Amino acid sequence: MEKSGMAFKISRMFIFLIAVASFLCVCFYTTLNWSDICIFCPKGEVVTSLTYFKKETEKFLQLPDTDCSKNPPFLVLLVTSSCDQKEARMAIRQTWGKEKLVARKRILTFFLLGTTENQYEQTDVLAESQAYKDIIQKGFIDTYYNLTLKTMMGMEWVHKFCQQSSFVMKTDSDVFVNVFYLTELLLRKNRSSNFFTGFLKMNERPIRQVFSKWYVSKYEYPGSTYPPFCSGTGYVFSTDVASQVLNISESVPFIKLEDVYIGLCLAKLQIKLEELNSKQTFFPIKLQFSLCRFVTCHYITPREQQDYWSQLEKSVDNMPSCLT
């Protein structure tokens, strides 16, 4: 009988504690604006006000050894990478990033990096930069949510050091780029200003689910749809756009999604997105290698970079025009 009474008391206490905990949770939930919490942002930050990009606030830590004024490149490839992705950078250096001349047009490839709190990794990056002279780096911490800073660093570098180029491409280190097909398409397009192309995203809506990697609060972006933008996996623009985006950026509310942020800048500049070809050529997904199907495809490992490039090299000497 005593045991039965004790069990009843414990049961009542347990129910009481659950009720109290539930009450506190409801109070916490109703007083906190969950739309402004970013679960995956650094330190679970709460976005409470708009911020704006401040250009030229940090000095470059690493700069490539190149002079665009002496031998202006036709195309500059800017590849976003992180300090721990040396294998991916090496694969690109040995494949599509090694090409310096395509259809008698000069092409340069550089890597965009932030910094790391791991001093051994930073020392390795310094040595890598000295060896290959193709790294552009500033002092912001290299995280996914600083990708906008990384991309704007690339825009600033073009503005300051390589305005003599004709076109710029921003892409990622897990993307394969068919530089031969891209060059052919750009030559046919024959555009020199206010040109921007890639995988067009025309009616994208902000993701408001707090557990999403791409979550954006209503404070950051109150609109129901984004202006048109191109997937950050790969977009190409005439070089004059870099300076225009950099100059307008200080009046555009900062968003951690770099492709969306560039789209906001383009909307303010009234630069319209264009298709590069009559058929789709930029793919934010993984595809099997094909000579004339894609300019970019995504989710490519370092080993696959080598495999795709090997297939491309075997075809390129006898390659018919993809446009015929």
Side-chain angles (χ1 to χ4, degrees):
M1 195 69 159
E2 273 185 35
K3 288 183 179 179
S4 177
M6 181 64 70
F8 179 70
K9 289 181 180 179
I10 292 174
S11 177
R12 287 182 60 186
M13 179 63 71
F14 182 70
I15 293 172
F16 173 76
L17 290 174
I18 290 177
V20 170
S22 300
F23 175 76
L24 292 174
C25 286
V26 169
C27 291
F28 179 69
Y29 186 89
T30 55
T31 56
L32 187 63
N33 187 349
W34 284 92
S35 67
D36 303 328
I37 296 291
C38 179
I39 298 300
F40 292 115
C41 289
K43 299 180 182 178
E45 65 188 23
V46 180
V47 180
T48 56
S49 61
L50 294 178
T51 58
Y52 292 83
F53 176 75
K54 300 296 182 184
K55 62 181 181 180
E56 303 178 15
T57 55
E58 288 188 11
K59 293 182 179 180
F60 289 95
L61 300 180
Q62 307 293 331
L63 285 170
D65 184 15
T66 189
D67 187 346
C68 291
S69 64
K70 289 184 178 179
N71 191 3
F74 174 73
L75 174 63
V76 173
L77 302 168
L78 299 177
V79 185
T80 57
S81 184
S82 59
C83 296
D84 61 351
Q85 292 177 339
K86 184 176 180 179
E87 184 184 6
R89 291 191 293 277
M90 289 304 301
I92 291 170
R93 290 185 182 111
Q94 295 165 3
T95 58
W96 52 267
K98 76 176 182 180
E99 286 301 311
K100 305 303 180 189
L101 206 63
V102 174
R104 293 181 292 181
K105 297 296 183 180
R106 188 172 182 233
I107 296 178
L108 298 177
T109 302
F110 303 110
F111 297 96
L112 306 177
L113 274 71
T115 56
T116 172
E117 295 175 335
N118 185 320
Q119 289 304 309
Y120 294 104
E121 284 187 354
Q122 183 57 33
T123 300
D124 287 344
V125 168
L126 177 59
E128 184 182 347
S129 178
Q130 292 172 342
Y132 297 100
K133 304 184 188 309
D134 59 2
I135 288 178
I136 301 170
Q137 185 185 43
K138 279 193 172 186
F140 56 85
I141 296 299
D142 210 327
T143 68
Y144 178 80
Y145 292 104
N146 278 338
L147 192 52
T148 300
L149 295 178
K150 189 178 291 184
T151 300
M152 292 305 297
M153 175 181 69
M155 296 286 186
E156 182 184 346
W157 181 85
V158 171
H159 170 73
K160 284 185 171 181
F161 301 108
C162 209
Q163 290 192 40
Q164 298 84 357
S165 60
S166 299
F167 295 96
V168 179
M169 178 180 199
K170 180 268 166 187
T171 188
D172 296 336
S173 59
D174 61 348
V175 172
F176 183 85
V177 180
N178 186 334
V179 291
F180 299 99
Y181 190 20
L182 174 58
T183 301
E184 187 176 8
L185 287 167
L186 289 174
L187 287 170
R188 187 184 70 164
K189 197 72 176 180
N190 194 28
R191 289 289 303 277
S192 59
S193 64
N194 287 356
F195 175 67
F196 202 102
T197 189
F199 179 74
L200 277 55
K201 302 178 80 104
M202 305 302 290
N203 294 293
E204 294 290 309
R205 294 179 177 273
I207 294 175
R208 305 298 191 193
Q209 287 77 29
V210 295
F211 289 99
S212 171
K213 179 181 180 181
W214 301 281
Y215 165 77
V216 170
S217 74
K218 290 182 179 179
Y219 277 107
E220 292 175 280
Y221 186 77
S224 59
T225 58
Y226 291 130
F229 66 95
C230 289
S231 165
T233 54
Y235 48 78
V236 180
F237 50 92
S238 54
T239 298
D240 65 300
V241 172
S243 297
Q244 294 186 66
V245 167
L246 186 67
N247 290 331
I248 202 73
S249 62
E250 289 187 316
S251 64
V252 176
F254 186 87
I255 285 185
K256 56 185 172 281
L257 306 180
E258 56 92 11
D259 46 8
V260 173
Y261 181 74
I262 298 299
L264 291 169
C265 293
L266 295 176
K268 196 157 189 177
L269 291 166
Q270 297 185 333
I271 294 177
K272 304 295 183 183
L273 306 184
E274 302 179 38
E275 295 284 4
L276 183 57
N277 195 16
S278 57
K279 61 180 182 179
Q280 183 181 349
T281 51
F282 294 87
F283 289 85
I285 58 173
K286 188 170 187 174
L287 298 173
Q288 293 296 314
F289 176 79
S290 175
L291 186 61
C292 294
R293 184 182 179 191
F294 62 80
V295 165
T296 65
C297 68
H298 195 202
Y299 303 115
I300 306 301
T301 67
R303 175 62 182 274
E304 288 168 335
Q305 295 277 14
Q306 301 280 1
D307 292 342
Y308 281 35
W309 182 250
S310 177
Q311 294 181 68
L312 183 56
E313 276 194 316
K314 289 176 183 177
S315 308
V316 72
D317 290 337
N318 301 311
M319 183 175 73
S321 170
C322 289
L323 305 180
T324 56

